[in-house]
Amino acid sequence: MTPRRARVPATPAPARAGGRRRSIPRLLAGAGLMLAMLAGTGAPALAAFPERPIRLIIGFPAGGPLDTHARLLADRLQQLLGQPIIIDYKPGAGGSIGAEFVIKSPPDGHTLLVANTGTMVINPALYPKLPYTMLRDLVPVARTAQQPLALIVNPAVPARDIREFIRYAKANPGKLNYASAGNGGISHLVPEMFKQATGVFMVHLPYRGSAPAFSDVLAGHAQFMAESIPQVTQYVKQGKVRALAVTSRERSPALPDVPTLIESGLASSTWWASTECWLPAARRPRCWAA
């Protein structure tokens, strides 16, 4: 008889750009419930799951938005599952090193990849010879976050809004640098789409992760960046960076005074970053056996 596939709670659907975002507690609770379901799938080998600490693998250095998100996720999962949650950093190649590490890990459910949009979508579209194929080598467990970005500048840039920035950039072609977490990530793709939409020219400065990139924007070595709203909110409020626009259809509750790109006259310019947890694909039959 063909094994019946166990029912697993569905991955939360993406919030619409113009709708209300799902709250972080609800998303984290959903992720925890999905992992907890692994213990009750009916497979004898999984009866004690989790039987030891769980590792969350991040393909980027500590200090960036993915690290912040993973820490929130780890706290919630530890409460739900009763085992320590260890965050392990495997930075490099736009998250590909972390993904490859998880693929080669034992398929016992104790090692998960925390992947962002770059690792899941952009890298496979840009690089034909990646060491992984997402839907072949990895299995999605839960979407744990989906959020817009803020377009920020160092306060020394003489622009108070996105229109002023566009005029300034056009008047000074090649004099502005924008920082990203590395080639092929969302913080690289969004500024490039912004450049195409507006006709401005900026020099790309790729870093090994979001934290060093953001640090150089704070220091003034780079002038512009597209970064997650939770990562930049406190710095905007302290005046250390200036937020020119957000990439959602509606204003962010965290930055209510910052207009959207659509408000600023850039029609259809809504960009979102997503974060999900994945298991090695070899895990699939054991998780779904019943």
Side-chain angles (χ1 to χ4, degrees), residues 172-247:
N172 297 274
K175 293 185 179 180
L176 294 176
N177 301 322
Y178 79 87
S180 81
N183 289 317
I186 192 71
S187 59
H188 177 198
L189 186 63
V190 166
E192 288 299 322
M193 291 190 292
F194 174 76
K195 287 166 59 178
Q196 288 187 349
T198 61
V200 303
F201 175 69
M202 295 182 288
V203 178
H204 178 213
L205 299 180
Y207 291 77
R208 288 178 58 86
S210 178
F214 185 59
S215 294
D216 264 12
V217 175
L218 289 172
H221 302 309
Q223 290 75 45
F224 180 92
M225 187 176 182
E227 181 60 292
S228 72
I229 291 176
Q231 187 77 359
V232 306
T233 296
Q234 64 172 330
Y235 297 94
V236 172
K237 292 179 178 179
Q238 293 169 0
K240 295 181 179 179
V241 294
R242 183 180 304 127
L244 303 179
V246 294
T247 63

Side-chain angles (χ1 to χ4, degrees), residues 8-12 27 30-38 49 56 73 77 81 102 109 111-114 120 134-135 138-144 275-281 283-284 287-288:
V8 179
T11 299
L27 289 169
L33 288 172
M34 288 186 179
L35 288 173
M37 282 293 292
L38 297 178
F49 181 89
L56 300 181
L73 183 63
L77 291 180
L81 300 180
V102 171
T111 304
L112 292 96
L113 175 69
V114 182
M120 295 184 292
M134 288 300 299
L135 295 180
L138 293 158
V139 177
V141 176
R143 174 174 297 142
T144 56
T275 305
E276 298 184 7
C277 287
W278 297 70
L279 284 167
R283 178 71 175 159
R284 185 194 309 261
C287 284
W288 290 348

